[in-house]
Amino acid sequence: MTQPVTTPRPACDPATELDVRFRAAIRAVIGTEVDPQIRPSGNAKFGDFQVNAAMALAKERGTNPRALAEEILQSADLADIAEKCEVAGPGFVNVTLTRACIERALTKLSMSETLGVPAPTDPHAVVVDLCGVNVAKQMHVGHLRATIIGDSLARVFERLGRKVWRENHLGDWGLPIAMTLAKLLREKADFARLTLDDLNHAYRGAQRETSTADLDAAYEFHCGPHRIAEFEVQYEPARIAMEDAKKTLVRLQSGDTEIVRRWERLIEVTMEQVYEAARTLHVKVGPENNRGESFFRDRLGGVVEAFAKSGLAKSDRGAMVVPFADRERPLLIQKSDGGFLYATTDLAAVRFRTYELDGSLVVYVVDARQRDHFRDVFDAARTIGWNKTSDGAESTLVHLGFGAVLGPDKKPLKTRSGENFTLKDLLDEACERGTAEVTRRAADPNAPTHGLPSSELAKIGAAVGIAAVKYADLSGDLTKDYVFDLDRMIAFEGDTGPYLQYAHARIASILAKSGETHAAIVAAPFALSEPAEKALALHLLRYAQMALDVGRTLETNRVGLYLRTLAELFNAFYQSCPVLKADDATTRLARLRLCAMTRAVLADGLSLYGIVAPDRM
RNA sequence: GCCCCGGUAGCUCAGUUGGAUAGAGCACCCGCCUUCUAAGCGGGUGGUCGGCGGUUCGAAUCCGCCCCGGGGCGCCA
């Protein structure tokens, strides 16, 4: 867990400067270097920033916190940046920055290509395991989370300047796929014209046909021989189907070209829905991200061998297991029949991701129910030393276990008809409702969208609908179960994706109507005369820190929280500060520049969620 | 039985990692469009932060014990 790198700090953020100065002041007073705990003030009446370190330090040293705060403040050199500093309450130091200081920082921010995000100190890659579909299965709403959370994190790390690998660990290998394949072959299916529904149907059919649940139960409960014989006759077709499936699996594993070709076709058909969903969702997942279970098939024997050789695995009841000192149940890496398990594949994947992809951070975006499994896999990987990059740097393995998606009744989501809600159903509905709403509003002759062709309205509608879905999902606590309510998700008022898009569209509209060139706007000096302008500016300056925080904590909801606050502050500014009809030309240009800066940050923040920001809506 | 994750306004959720008077949205009530998009803004009603105890200047946040809900526990993935 120890990251040797010092956390970079955003140069544009005044908090960085305050941190430097108060760190020095504290060192001057107590002789040691500690975190001064600079925080944005919770309440504007206390100033812009607060320094919280004095109280904790006073406790340690058994001195008076207010007196210590006073001492720190006296030795802090703030003349050029603060207009007011004072000790308040039990020992807070409140700092109000000068207008010039904030304007300088803002100017710096507007010239930064990365919106103030510092270059990464860790040269290694970040690997994000996302999506996780299974061949022959429909994408359901759970895949929405695994896909958009993973994509959003990938985008955040790209913004932080890291090399990112999006890994789609498809379930494309093993008996279930062989069963489906065998059934399709028995039914002489036309592989050239297969649809996902055909695959899904075959998959379910194969599951039913090979099910021997009653027979298994009869053995388990030691039913009489007569009863068992009865079941055996009844289940003869299931036995035959299973035998067929196993033969198909052997042919697949041994590389039978005919079978492999058909298997590839199954994957192709399955993945087309993934790519389509990815396009709709503005998620960067394509064929280049496919690295499924089959990719690791030749490495599984090596995994077991490595663990056996190092003495970390032992034989137990005919199977190979990795025992742990602190828990009863071991990790099973090879079945008694010699077959491998998903833990084996996951271990091979860990090794690949740290050593070959050079990931110093590997994030698994997989639902929370697999928490125990990943704990075991990661611990096993650590004990054998596979949590290392190619140059020996330590790699952090994280399972980001997200909560289940529930219906309004708090049970797994269903449609009205009781069928499982597929991802496609959800996205279609979102785009449809978004388009209906945009079209309805465009009917108003005063609407900026009035008169646009319906294709354009549909484009905006889809952006709005998808924004609603993504924002609702990403802006909450990822680890919690979450109640899916389309009516609330596609709402256009309040704390929603469209609320953010709306703020962006308002800014775009102002900039377009100003008649000024981008060059003229960027050349104008900032002038923060109103409180609403200052509040907006201070929040813009925090963007980089927010991005760094998301990289550190993997909490995508911080992006949403930041953007909602930004939009609120912009709306407050919009309400109280006329831009195009400002009192004078200088103020007009200064406000236009503030608008341009806000727009850039808002659009960049939305891009961290993969949300499109239309200029009109 | 063991382990993990939750419990905050009527509903859905935030809460910047221990900070100042616990905040939004929906719903409900009042106000703001001859002025840059009212998908907006301002105000109001609404709280035993599951319960009890502890740690300290300070707890929704940390520690302990309970209550309630969800999930996971060897040859499926």
Side-chain angles (χ1 to χ4, degrees), chain A residues 229-422:
Chain A
E230 223 172 62
F231 274 127
E232 277 175 348
V233 171
Q234 190 184 332
Y235 281 105
E236 182 61 8
R239 198 188 57 74
I240 293 170
M242 186 54 94
E243 206 151 281
D244 186 29
K246 283 184 175 167
K247 271 186 203 153
T248 308
L249 181 61
V250 169
R251 286 175 67 193
L252 178 62
Q253 288 176 336
S254 59
D256 179 319
T257 46
E258 185 64 19
I259 293 290
V260 168
R261 224 187 59 225
R262 301 232 153 117
W263 169 75
E264 283 169 346
R265 178 74 188 132
L266 254 59
I267 293 169
E268 209 176 282
V269 172
T270 303
M271 293 312 289
E272 195 36 60
Q273 64 159 345
V274 177
Y275 307 143
E276 194 192 327
R279 280 192 295 274
T280 308
L281 283 166
H282 295 279
V283 158
K284 292 189 222 165
V285 170
E288 68 279 12
N289 303 105
N290 290 352
R291 194 147 21 219
E293 292 164 351
S294 61
F295 177 84
F296 299 100
R297 63 190 183 232
D298 297 329
R299 300 167 185 242
L300 304 179
V303 168
V304 175
E305 202 179 309
F307 274 90
K309 240 184 210 167
S310 58
L312 294 168
K314 61 174 189 182
S315 179
D316 183 33
R317 290 174 235 176
M320 284 302 282
V321 302
V322 180
F324 298 104
D326 62 342
R327 68 206 82 146
E328 298 242 327
R329 215 144 284 171
L331 179 66
L332 201 64
I333 57 171
Q334 189 171 27
K335 298 193 277 188
S336 49
D337 68 3
F340 304 112
L341 292 123
Y342 74 130
T344 328
T345 309
D346 279 337
L347 283 166
V350 167
R351 180 62 170 153
F352 179 78
R353 292 166 177 187
T354 55
Y355 195 80
E356 294 185 49
L357 296 183
D358 206 30
S360 63
L361 174 63
V362 188
V363 183
Y364 289 72
V365 184
V366 183
D367 80 274
R369 287 174 304 191
Q370 304 210 32
R371 193 164 272 139
D372 291 348
H373 165 70
F374 281 114
R375 191 163 81 107
D376 289 349
V377 168
F378 294 166
D379 282 348
R382 287 185 195 108
T383 52
I384 203 168
W386 286 357
N387 58 328
K388 297 271 193 292
T389 60
S390 55
D391 62 358
E394 188 164 327
S395 186
T396 306
L397 309 172
V398 188
H399 170 221
L400 183 53
F402 56 84
V405 181
L406 309 172
D409 56 355
K410 303 221 171 188
K411 288 180 192 154
L413 192 64
K414 305 272 181 183
T415 57
R416 286 171 279 278
S417 59
E419 295 288 305
N420 281 322
F421 210 97
T422 67

Side-chain angles (χ1 to χ4, degrees), chain A residues 85-100:
Chain A
C85 318
E86 60 187 5
V87 174
F92 297 104
V93 177
N94 291 332
V95 180
T96 304
L97 298 173
T98 63
R99 192 178 130 177

